[in-house]
Amino acid sequence: MISYYLMTDKGDRGNNEDNVGMYRMGQEYCFTLADGFGGHGKGEVASQIAVEQAVKTFAQIGKASGECLAEAFQSGQNEILEMQRRDRTAGDMKTTLVLLLVGEELIRWGHIGDSRLYYFENGRLVGRTMDHSVPQMLVAAVEIKEKQIRRHPDRNRLRRVMGVDWEEPRYQMAEPIKSTSGQAFLLCSDGFWEWIEEKKMTACLKKASTPQMWLESMAEIVRRQGRGQNMDNYSAVGVWIN
């Protein structure tokens, strides 16, 4: 059994450039989240294209496969670049994307940018995606500590995004894992994870009886911590394997 919940909020901003989506084919699922940015208010267009193309690709292929995951990123990238060519005001639009495919036997995910996927097992954090950002690069170089990413002055400087020409794919795909009871996944934009630390995510997970309760309890912390800080849009998707 799969249970899930999706949420998105504009925070203190005038519009919401985040997008979330899901699609089900039989017993296989696609969950996706994107955080757009760029001039002329086109960030929401870029994130919408990325999410819609991911869902469309999954619906067409009908299988939570590695091929589907790669094609979802590439089709979104192609569509965004095509929109930039058609509309001069869209030339600066870009987006992150994180994508989770839950199959009957295997679970796959991939990402580009600093929207994250956290993976929990039996109430414990197992790991997360690594941001394609300058601060994450500094962590890898042992120049700053992991906890310093959230408040780093260059936190919004991304090294990989959709909407920039690439000669080879810039997204990153994880090795697939077997689907098993007790797994939980959190997809979230940086406007969400910057205001809640991983130990709080885990504590909320242990107290929750549904993905909706999990996300709502975390969102309460996000709002409390970000109050008065000109909060960015914040979005999240919670998925449980029961």
Side-chain angles (χ1 to χ4, degrees):
M1 285 286 294
I2 307 292
S3 54
Y4 56 89
Y5 187 70
L6 296 80
M7 63 157 290
T8 184
D9 193 287
K10 69 178 183 178
D12 293 331
R13 303 300 169 87
N15 66 317
N16 192 348
E17 296 184 310
D18 289 359
N19 265 281
V20 295
M22 70 81 56
Y23 195 83
R24 177 181 178 181
M25 291 279 287
Q27 296 304 309
E28 309 215 339
Y29 298 77
C30 167
F31 299 96
T32 181
L33 179 150
D35 176 2
F37 58 98
H40 302 282
K42 296 291 185 178
E44 68 270 24
V45 177
S47 64
Q48 182 178 358
I49 289 173
V51 166
E52 287 181 349
Q53 287 298 312
V55 168
K56 181 179 177 181
T57 300
F58 179 73
Q60 289 175 339
I61 294 177
K63 192 75 177 171
S65 63
E67 173 199 3
C68 179
L69 193 60
E71 179 59 29
F73 280 99
Q74 192 60 56
S75 63
Q77 165 76 348
N78 293 345
E79 191 65 25
I80 290 169
L81 294 181
E82 179 59 29
M83 174 67 79
Q84 290 174 351
R85 285 189 284 268
R86 292 198 307 265
D87 182 354
R88 266 187 283 178
T89 68
D92 294 331
M93 72 174 187
K94 301 171 181 64
T95 188
T96 69
L97 180 66
V98 58
L99 182 59
L100 173 70
L101 300 182
V102 180
E104 291 189 61
E105 295 182 2
L106 294 177
I107 298 175
R108 305 173 188 271
W109 64 85
H111 80 293
I112 186 168
D114 64 350
S115 292
R116 294 180 175 179
L117 180 144
Y118 288 89
Y119 168 38
F120 302 82
E121 203 167 89
N122 298 319
R124 298 181 63 182
L125 178 62
V126 176
R128 72 163 175 87
T129 53
M130 296 294 105
D131 307 331
H132 297 135
S133 67
V134 169
Q136 189 73 70
M137 181 178 66
L138 295 176
V139 171
V142 201
E143 294 186 24
I144 66 171
K145 295 181 179 179
E146 177 81 20
K147 64 182 181 180
Q148 293 177 281
I149 289 178
R150 283 179 168 85
R151 300 292 174 264
H152 196 277
D154 290 329
R155 192 180 65 72
N156 292 320
R157 289 182 59 194
L158 303 185
R159 300 171 58 239
R160 302 186 191 183
V161 292
M162 296 171 69
V164 176
D165 280 309
W166 59 43
E167 293 183 2
E168 58 183 32
R170 301 289 284 164
Y171 54 84
Q172 188 173 348
M173 292 166 51
E175 288 295 317
I177 62 172
K178 288 186 177 181
S179 175
T180 184
S181 178
Q183 294 169 321
F185 299 89
L186 172 66
L187 289 68
C188 56
S189 60
D190 66 327
F192 190 92
W193 61 253
E194 73 173 319
W195 298 113
I196 180 167
E197 295 184 352
E198 287 77 6
K199 62 183 180 181
K200 292 287 187 181
M201 296 177 184
T202 303
C204 289
L205 175 61
K206 290 179 178 178
K207 294 178 182 177
S209 56
T210 66
Q212 180 174 352
M213 288 180 61
W214 183 31
L215 261 59
E216 288 179 347
S217 62
M218 288 189 291
E220 187 176 336
I221 294 171
V222 168
R223 286 189 291 268
R224 185 170 65 245
Q225 293 296 111
R227 188 172 293 124
Q229 303 292 327
N230 188 28
M231 285 181 66
D232 195 1
N233 315 143
Y234 60 93
S235 304
V237 178
V239 181
W240 287 7
I241 314 298
N242 302 311

